[in-house]
Amino acid sequence: MANKRLNAKDVDRLLADYRSERRRLNYQLDLVRKAIVDLKAVRGERSSEEPEDRPKRGPGRPRKDPNAPVAPKKRAGRRKKRVVENGGYRLSDWDNMIIAAINKAGRLLTKEELYKASLTWAKKNEPEMSEEDVMAKLSRVLQKLSGKRGMLGTHRTGLMRGYHYGVKEWFFASSGALRKQHYDKLVINKG
């Protein structure tokens, strides 16, 4: 039809068709609305035409109970961090045991030597742990204390596998290297 030229007669006919279609659709819509009102009346609900006692609430959070107790107002701003000694971290029993074993020995210890100390401690304090569990726990504790917590320092000799672990005061803070005056604390067991 877009390509054809319409004369006045065709335009009047199209408009009449559209108007009659609109009247038919409005009539059907009125029938549907009446059916909905009748069905609500049968179910006992209020129809949309009847006034309601209370105003309708839209979606969202319901109103608070006016009889509920009032909570105290929170202070604005960030919560203050709890300050704990030992560099701001609370040490576990395992952490304290590892640090105490190194201090008691007075020298740098390998993971193997710390494992022996951990086994004897675990048999007394946590008897349900197996040897594999003790080794896994020791690995996690050493990684934590020598890494993000910075409580232990590590030294690699190159003569054997792994690290020697020592108290952080025996190491330089900037480079993490063992201080020269503490080289006597480094004991290498051969065999």
Side-chain angles (χ1 to χ4, degrees), residues 5-190:
R5 287 190 70 139
L6 297 176
N7 58 20
K9 211 183 225 184
D10 292 334
V11 171
D12 289 340
R13 193 172 358 113
L14 284 174
L15 286 174
D17 288 342
Y18 289 141
R19 287 184 187 122
S20 66
E21 184 71 17
R22 188 177 69 189
R23 277 195 305 271
R24 188 179 65 78
L25 290 173
N26 280 334
Y27 175 74
Q28 287 178 345
L29 185 61
D30 287 340
L31 287 176
V32 169
R33 285 183 180 149
K34 285 178 188 175
I36 289 173
V37 169
D38 292 342
L39 289 173
K40 284 186 177 180
V42 169
R43 259 186 26 193
E45 293 182 8
R46 294 174 184 252
S47 69
S48 60
E49 297 166 1
E50 296 177 26
E52 289 192 20
D53 315 359
R54 58 184 173 80
K56 280 189 174 180
R57 299 233 348 124
R61 186 172 176 174
R63 289 192 178 127
K64 291 185 178 178
D65 183 16
N67 301 328
V70 179
K73 297 262 183 187
K74 290 185 179 180
R75 291 177 51 191
R78 263 188 199 185
R79 237 170 97 181
K80 291 184 180 177
K81 286 188 177 180
R82 183 178 55 189
V83 178
V84 182
E85 59 278 347
N86 298 328
Y89 298 105
R90 179 177 291 151
L91 298 177
S92 70
D93 294 338
W94 279 87
D95 301 338
N96 290 325
M97 181 269 302
I98 296 295
I99 293 170
I102 292 172
N103 284 329
K104 183 178 177 185
R107 62 184 181 87
L108 284 94
L109 296 178
T110 62
K111 185 175 178 181
E112 183 180 339
E113 293 166 329
L114 288 169
Y115 175 65
K116 291 175 186 173
S118 301
L119 270 179
T120 57
W121 183 85
K123 284 179 184 174
K124 179 181 169 190
N125 295 309
E126 297 188 23
E128 69 278 355
M129 289 184 78
S130 67
E131 291 183 10
E132 293 83 22
D133 293 339
V134 171
M135 180 56 104
K137 181 71 174 179
L138 174 66
S139 297
R140 288 194 303 269
V141 169
L142 287 176
Q143 186 175 14
K144 175 178 70 172
L145 290 177
S146 63
K148 64 180 180 179
R149 296 287 164 91
M151 304 291 290
L152 297 180
T154 57
H155 178 74
R156 179 177 237 114
T157 61
L159 301 174
M160 54 189 298
R161 274 183 75 198
Y163 291 109
H164 283 78
Y165 295 92
V167 183
K168 195 65 174 180
E169 291 83 40
W170 300 343
F171 297 85
F172 287 109
S174 58
S175 65
L178 185 63
R179 295 177 188 258
K180 291 214 185 278
Q181 66 260 31
H182 297 294
Y183 275 155
D184 61 330
K185 295 182 183 343
L186 179 62
V187 177
I188 300 172
N189 296 335
K190 294 183 180 176

